[in-house]
Amino acid sequence: MKLSLGPLQYFWPRERTLAFYREAARWPVDVIYLGETVCSKRRELSTRDWIELAAELAQGGKQVVLSSLALIEAESELGVLKRLVAEGGGWIEANDLSAVQLCRERGVPFVAGPTLNVYNHQALRLLMDDGLRRWVPGVEQGHVLIRELREAMLADGGTLPELEVIAFGRLPLSFSARCFTARALDVPKDQCGFRCIDYPDGLPLATREGKPFLRINGIQIQGEEITDLGPELPMLRELGVDVLRLYPQAEGMAEVVAHFHLARRSPQPPPRIGARNGYWFGEPGMRAAG
């Protein structure tokens, strides 16, 4: 079972981002996803910077995958995607069907990201014909749905691609053309001043009763809880999961990686260091499931 470092969901200063990946190069992760998946206005690192960083990490023995935006709205954003596919030199995480089309046209292998919305084995098979090599189910797709999809694929004479599951991090719940951070701070989206950079783990949003509820992250909404599927490792192995995705957080990621690295080599499941993921059990996402 491999470990992956998912794409950075937050907007960090350039030097902080580069320092993070310099440290990550020494961590026992097998796959590193790079690139901007949330907002094209986040340009502390340019497209060229991401491609060069990918080459540097690949030289160190990591599999590097360049991730696409989840919501493409402008011709300029499509242009960046075309450049990633043409010049990236490796796999692409397709978070939008535009990326699937470009990868198919150029024969570039791709990962189906969690925002691609794959819910049945026929759709998965079509994507495999287009060059899909790995599938990351959506955040609400629990073990029952994944098992049913696997069984349907086997019954149809096929096999699943590599299966990657989000094992740690705040779950990306939704995306919108509206910038929630700009709205919360009462500034226009087109004149936001890149305020996301002030919130390295997202902007907390509470209920009217003051209970932590969500994280606002530009055009993305996340769950408040940092979910953790570590104790479910026996179930993940039995399900045939190949890769555990760990989403970067502002603090403590070296310890998180070390925790999962030890866990994947142990016959015993690790203690939980985050919150239970209700979605995994077919429950509401924020409900602790037993």
Side-chain angles (χ1 to χ4, degrees):
M1 186 176 284
K2 294 183 281 190
L3 294 180
S4 76
L5 192 62
L8 177 61
Q9 301 185 93
Y10 308 107
F11 188 32
W12 293 353
R14 175 185 175 86
E15 287 308 316
R16 180 172 187 169
T17 302
L18 293 175
F20 176 82
Y21 286 112
R22 282 195 295 268
E23 186 178 355
R26 301 191 294 270
W27 296 343
V29 295
D30 307 282
V31 185
I32 297 180
Y33 290 82
L34 296 177
E36 181 55 54
T37 62
V38 177
C39 178
S40 63
K41 295 176 67 176
R42 299 176 175 180
R43 297 179 186 142
E44 287 284 297
L45 270 68
S46 67
T47 304
R48 172 51 54 191
D49 290 331
W50 287 119
I51 292 173
E52 290 178 354
L53 180 58
E56 180 181 333
L57 290 170
Q59 288 178 355
K62 308 295 186 186
Q63 183 193 21
V64 182
V65 181
L66 289 168
S67 298
S68 75
L69 285 170
L71 184 61
I72 294 178
E73 300 181 82
E75 190 68 31
S76 59
E77 295 167 352
L78 187 60
V80 169
L81 175 57
K82 289 178 178 178
R83 188 174 176 191
L84 287 177
V85 174
E87 302 177 21
W91 290 16
I92 296 292
E93 182 185 40
N95 289 305
D96 176 272
L97 281 175
S98 302
V100 172
Q101 178 179 338
L102 291 172
C103 288
R104 181 184 65 223
E105 291 173 352
R106 287 186 166 269
V108 175
F110 65 90
V111 178
T115 59
L116 208 53
N117 298 329
V118 180
Y119 292 100
N120 59 71
H121 75 286
Q122 291 98 336
L124 197 58
R125 201 162 201 169
L126 287 172
L127 291 171
M128 292 172 69
D129 290 341
D130 291 336
L132 171 67
R133 297 292 183 269
R134 184 182 299 149
W135 173 46
V136 187
V139 298
E140 78 282 10
Q141 293 174 270
H143 70 93
V144 172
L145 189 148
I146 295 172
R147 187 182 305 278
E148 290 174 349
L149 192 148
R150 175 184 290 277
E151 291 173 353
M153 180 72 87
L154 291 174
D156 205 24
T159 57
L160 286 184
E162 273 195 315
L163 178 59
E164 179 172 351
V165 167
I166 300 170
F168 184 88
R170 288 192 177 90
L171 299 178
L173 301 179
S174 67
F175 294 81
S176 171
R178 180 183 296 275
C179 178
F180 300 108
T181 302
R183 182 68 182 89
L185 300 174
D186 198 23
V187 296
K189 178 181 178 181
D190 293 337
Q191 299 171 357
C192 66
F194 310 107
R195 298 289 293 278
C196 287
I197 208 166
D198 297 330
Y199 305 97
D201 272 327
L203 175 61
L205 175 66
T207 64
R208 290 185 176 183
E209 293 76 25
K211 182 179 179 180
F213 181 40
L214 299 169
R215 288 289 172 120
I216 298 173
N217 181 37
I219 68 167
Q220 180 196 65
I221 293 292
Q222 303 175 334
E224 166 63 27
E225 298 87 356
I226 296 177
T227 60
D228 173 20
L229 286 181
E232 284 69 58
L233 267 177
M235 183 189 299
L236 294 168
R237 291 191 179 103
E238 190 271 334
L239 195 57
V241 172
D242 302 289
V243 186
L244 301 177
R245 172 172 292 203
L246 315 177
Y247 271 122
Q249 306 296 320
E251 304 294 339
M253 277 308 296
E255 291 77 14
V256 170
V257 170
H259 173 83
F260 276 89
H261 178 56
L262 180 63
R264 67 172 169 171
R265 301 167 68 186
S266 172
Q268 300 299 321
R272 198 180 303 281
I273 59 173
R276 289 178 180 268
N277 181 352
Y279 284 132
W280 184 251
F281 300 96
E283 302 283 347
M286 65 186 297
R287 179 183 298 172

